[in-house]
Amino acid sequence: MYLSHCFAYTHITAEIRQQQDCVVMELKDENRTDLQVTLSYLQAKTLAEGLSAVTNQASLTEVLATKCGFILGDMTVHFVLPIEKENQQEGEEQKCRQNILPAPTAELSLSKSA
């Protein structure tokens, strides 16, 4: 399946949320075009790092000097984060924690000297 839609010229509303073990990104534009993408944690992390690398590569002055140097569409992003209530006491302030990605580990064997 091949899907293509240009969101560059319209206002976009995005919602990013965690759903079970996945990250869901939903994009909506003014013309009622909806795109929803579900990614694993590693896919979302790789996409975020790639987008960051591409956008940090060129400065804004370089972008403005090109043929497409005008500012196009705009974007509003809503983040929906899961709330952990099990350890939260009444009146206790909620703290933001980074998700810990479990990695498989194996026992290391050290060679013994003779």
Side-chain angles (χ1 to χ4, degrees):
M1 177 190 320
Y2 177 76
L3 299 173
S4 176
H5 184 75
C6 180
F7 286 107
Y9 301 98
T10 61
H11 175 74
I12 302 169
T13 302
E15 181 176 290
I16 301 172
R17 66 183 179 276
Q18 183 179 351
Q19 188 169 342
Q20 296 177 352
D21 295 335
C22 298
V23 175
V24 178
M25 179 177 58
E26 189 172 340
L27 302 174
K28 296 180 182 183
D29 72 2
E30 299 165 335
N31 300 323
R32 295 186 176 188
T33 302
D34 294 353
L35 174 67
Q36 186 177 30
V37 179
T38 303
L39 303 170
S40 72
Y41 175 82
L42 289 176
Q43 289 170 329
K45 184 169 176 37
T46 303
L47 177 62
E49 289 172 354
L51 288 171
S52 181
V54 169
T55 56
N56 289 333
Q57 185 177 6
S59 69
L60 185 57
T61 54
E62 291 172 338
V63 173
L64 293 174
T66 66
K67 286 190 276 183
C68 300
F70 51 90
I71 303 298
L72 304 176
D74 162 353
M75 182 177 213
T76 303
V77 180
H78 302 280
F79 297 94
V80 180
L81 303 173
I83 299 174
E84 295 181 21
K85 293 185 178 182
E86 58 193 39
N87 295 330
Q88 188 177 356
Q89 301 293 327
E90 187 176 325
E92 183 180 337
E93 195 173 309
Q94 198 173 4
K95 297 179 183 174
C96 183
R97 293 187 304 164
Q98 181 178 3
N99 288 337
I100 298 170
L101 177 65
T105 58
E107 290 185 26
L108 298 175
S109 62
L110 300 175
S111 60
K112 297 180 182 179
S113 48

